[in-house]
Amino acid sequence: IFDGLPSTQAQNVQRAEAEGVEAEGKWQLDPALSLFGNLTYTRATDLGKDVPLAYIPPLHGRAGVQFAPEQQGYALTASMDWALAKTRIDPTQEYPSAGYAVFNLSAQLFLDRLLAPAFGDTRLIVSVDNLADSAYRSAATYANVAYAESMTNPLLEPGRNFTFTLRHRF
């Protein structure tokens, strides 16, 4: 609090320790069908204050399945982004966050195969992210603890959203 008003102040950490592990894998069930996933765990501590460093996400990852028949000109993907609840926090720096699971669908259309070879390496990618329109927060999103927790503090991640991408590589 400065002059009676909530305020923030940036401070350097003198000594910190961060440790973690990341794993990623893909299992090709047959030439057209694969399972994939990754997970990341990080733990970080401000050694000078013996408190957790803020905005370090808890265990989180992605799991999915992809169907991409060879030479057919398309690939379909379903995935789930997830994270465990974050409760190891310094309450003077951040709010705890709930765990979540968010489902996504996407289709890639290879235009050179579907329409004409003249399109080269051009893809139309159509995605629906957060299919269930879940309200969730990433543990890595900044919050100002001088103010009450709200829809914008820390900011909610986007609800259901549609993305259309036309990508050409040359």
Side-chain angles (χ1 to χ4, degrees), residues 105-107 124-129 160-166:
L105 297 174
S106 72
L124 174 63
I125 305 166
V126 179
S127 301
V128 182
D129 296 323
R160 181 181 309 113
N161 61 88
F162 299 86
T163 306
F164 299 88
T165 304
L166 186 61

Side-chain angles (χ1 to χ4, degrees), residues 2-35:
F2 179 75
D3 280 345
L5 299 172
S7 62
T8 61
Q9 180 184 44
Q11 295 183 1
N12 289 329
V13 173
Q14 299 279 330
R15 282 185 36 225
E17 179 179 77
E19 55 194 7
V21 64
E22 186 172 15
E24 181 176 35
K26 182 178 178 181
W27 182 21
Q28 198 72 40
L29 298 171
D30 70 35
L33 189 64
S34 61
L35 301 175

Side-chain angles (χ1 to χ4, degrees), residues 47-97:
L47 296 175
K49 296 179 183 176
D50 194 29
V51 295
L53 285 180
Y55 312 114
I56 305 296
L59 182 65
H60 64 283
R62 172 178 281 180
V65 60
Q66 184 176 57
F67 180 69
E70 290 185 53
Q71 305 304 318
Q72 295 302 307
Y74 67 93
L76 305 173
T77 305
S79 65
M80 175 185 68
D81 295 328
W82 59 271
L84 296 182
K86 183 176 183 186
T87 56
R88 183 180 181 269
I89 64 165
D90 174 0
T92 67
Q93 296 291 313
E94 64 183 328
Y95 292 111
S97 63

